[in-house]
Amino acid sequence: MITPQQKQHVRELINILYSRAGIKTQFRGEVNEDVAAVVGDLLTDIATCSDAFRWVPKPTGGKASVLWLVKNVSQSVMAELKQKQSVTCMRARILQYKTSLDMAAAGLGY
């Protein structure tokens, strides 16, 4: 069972990514395991743009889960993300995943 605090952690991570990339929207969708899988894939892609995520291990089994995100993407990493990035690179990656993220939040799978 995913706790409200874990869902909030993932939602905050998504919104920090959006904000840092200059995307003027807030993620308000339902946080579920499909959303976590999309975010995990996104983090893998933006690792090429950001030193903040290069140390984050790949999820076992191939897909990130909400619990994996909470465990592996700490508040300190999110704070670093707010400060250092290649914004152009990161923005392109995030925009590529935005539709998948919204569909996963709506329960349409990933």
Side-chain angles (χ1 to χ4, degrees), residues 12-73:
E12 182 180 346
L13 170 61
I14 294 166
N15 286 325
I16 288 170
L17 291 169
Y18 282 175
S19 175
R20 187 63 185 122
I23 299 170
K24 298 189 185 320
T25 190
Q26 290 286 304
F27 178 78
R28 291 186 174 85
E30 181 61 29
V31 173
N32 56 41
E33 294 301 337
D34 286 338
V35 167
V38 173
V39 173
D41 288 347
L42 172 60
L43 292 177
T44 298
D45 278 356
I46 67 170
T48 62
C49 306
S50 167
D51 290 337
F53 287 102
R54 288 197 178 137
W55 70 269
V56 176
K58 299 233 187 266
T60 55
K63 279 185 159 183
S65 68
V66 171
L67 294 176
W68 182 88
L69 289 171
V70 169
K71 179 180 175 188
N72 289 289
V73 183

Side-chain angles (χ1 to χ4, degrees), residues 88-108:
T88 303
C89 176
M90 192 171 132
R91 180 180 175 87
R93 299 295 194 292
I94 291 169
L95 287 172
Q96 289 172 340
Y97 281 86
K98 189 173 180 328
T99 299
S100 295
L101 190 58
D102 291 339
M103 289 178 64
L108 300 175

